[in-house]
Amino acid sequence: MNNNLHKNPQLSTNINKNPRILLVEDDMVYGNIVKKNLEEVGYRVEHCFDGQQGWEKFQQTRYDLCLVDIVLPKMNGFELAHEIRKKTTLTPIFFFSSERTMDGDRMGGFDLGADGYLVKPFSLPELQYRILSFLKWTRPIKTELLIGHSFGQFIFHYRKLKVYDKDITGAIGKISPTEAKVLRYFFSRPNIIIKRDELLLKVWGKDDFYSSRTMDVFLGKVRKQLKIEPRIELETIHNVGIRLNVPEDLKVEKITIPLNNSML
């Protein structure tokens, strides 16, 4: 592990209050290095040494992100992730894996709802950046109201219900209020698997059969809206959920206004 920490101010965890991380790593030395490094930049880290202890801690405390080794005593990382995902789909989970981890095992982890892998040995700055890239979506600053997303050449404006091309004057398309809700939910959580029942409750407020059929219709409409940017894909993962796939080189930015804006 590269333990050279570059004091980059962009690494400061000023996303609301200090985020809380659950670290489940049975290697005491390795885990302590990770814990100390993350605490130095402002995270609150709970370090557990086996999967059973990690699960007990998760049930007692709200965590903003989980870092889980795959090979653990008592309950392995996949089993722990399975229990976490039965409780919530919102908390990001990153697995620590070795080079020996087979591709099939990694795919199994994604099927369980993992959000990513870090292969040992990894650099600590890389770990910090990976954590921040997820927390900026799952813990947005609440002094502002999200009214749109900009991605590459295009803008979805949720208040105006319009689609814009940055090089063209005027709107190039329209979105309905429900399409705006769905787009806003996915763009606020890029590359994170969203379960169907979660989307139903957050957008429609209920998860009955009628709402489920309605959601499928709007997911089709959203996919048509997303065709303006071929690099973005709304992927349905069978028996797992739905994920908005956004490539790393395509920057997604929030368009916000202050919560005390007189227009509200």
Side-chain angles (χ1 to χ4, degrees):
M1 180 185 294
N2 181 359
N3 197 28
N4 292 327
L5 174 61
H6 303 288
K7 297 296 185 180
N8 187 330
Q10 291 181 336
L11 296 179
S12 63
T13 55
N14 58 353
I15 305 173
N16 294 327
K17 296 180 180 179
N18 299 44
R20 189 183 297 274
I21 293 176
L22 176 64
L23 169 64
V24 190
E25 168 61 69
D26 63 328
D27 186 323
M28 183 177 296
V29 174
Y30 199 89
N32 284 341
I33 291 174
V34 172
K35 174 180 169 67
K36 180 180 178 181
N37 175 263
L38 294 179
E39 288 178 339
E40 285 178 350
V41 292
Y43 294 106
R44 294 173 291 172
V45 181
E46 182 78 44
H47 183 192
C48 299
F49 299 96
D50 63 67
Q52 184 61 44
Q53 183 187 20
W55 173 232
E56 291 171 359
K57 288 292 185 182
F58 188 86
Q59 295 178 86
Q60 298 168 5
T61 307
R62 180 190 178 279
Y63 293 98
D64 299 290
L65 185 138
C66 297
L67 301 174
V68 180
D69 193 20
I70 294 176
V71 181
L72 294 168
K74 297 186 179 180
M75 176 189 290
N76 68 40
F78 290 148
E79 292 170 334
L80 173 57
H82 179 68
E83 293 302 318
I84 290 173
R85 281 292 171 258
K86 287 197 297 185
K87 184 176 177 65
T88 178
T89 61
L90 297 178
T91 307
I93 301 174
F94 273 88
F95 282 124
F96 291 165
S97 69
S98 67
E99 291 287 357
R100 297 190 301 273
T101 303
M102 302 297 290
D103 287 342
D105 290 336
R106 294 190 185 189
M107 291 306 299
F110 283 120
D111 288 343
L112 287 171
D115 296 290
Y117 281 83
L118 281 165
V119 179
K120 297 178 181 178
F122 50 81
S123 73
L124 295 173
E126 176 192 3
L127 173 62
Q128 293 173 1
Y129 278 117
R130 294 286 293 277
I131 291 173
L132 278 176
S133 69
F134 269 82
L135 291 185
K136 73 178 181 180
W137 300 115
T138 58
R139 284 186 56 137
I141 298 171
K142 296 179 180 179
T143 58
E144 56 192 18
L145 177 68
L146 179 65
I147 62 170
H149 275 110
S150 167
F151 53 102
Q153 188 67 24
F154 303 100
I155 295 172
F156 284 134
H157 199 297
Y158 308 131
R159 297 199 76 181
K160 296 180 180 179
L161 299 177
K162 292 181 179 180
V163 185
Y164 295 94
D165 184 318
K166 295 176 183 177
D167 287 342
I168 299 176
T169 302
I172 62 170
K174 298 179 180 179
I175 53 178
S176 71
T178 302
E179 288 171 352
K181 289 182 181 179
V182 176
L183 287 164
R184 179 170 55 194
Y185 201 77
F186 278 107
F187 270 102
S188 295
R189 298 157 183 82
N191 301 313
I192 295 176
I193 297 172
I194 308 297
K195 289 195 173 181
R196 287 180 60 90
D197 55 355
E198 174 189 338
L199 186 62
L200 281 166
L201 289 171
K202 295 295 183 180
V203 176
W204 279 270
K206 50 188 175 181
D207 59 356
D208 55 27
F209 175 76
Y210 176 78
S211 298
S212 181
R213 295 291 297 272
T214 302
M215 182 179 73
D216 289 334
V217 172
F218 276 97
L219 287 176
K221 293 181 178 181
V222 165
R223 285 190 170 95
K224 290 181 180 178
Q225 295 283 4
L226 292 172
K227 286 183 178 180
I228 60 175
E229 176 46 80
R231 291 177 290 172
I232 292 180
E233 175 194 15
L234 190 63
E235 177 187 10
T236 297
I237 304 170
H238 185 60
N239 290 332
V240 180
I242 308 158
R243 179 172 57 204
L244 182 68
N245 295 323
V246 180
E248 291 186 3
D249 62 338
L250 183 63
K251 189 173 183 181
V252 176
E253 296 181 326
K254 298 184 296 181
I255 301 172
T256 62
I257 57 175
L259 281 174
N260 62 356
N261 192 300
S262 60
M263 293 174 59
L264 297 180

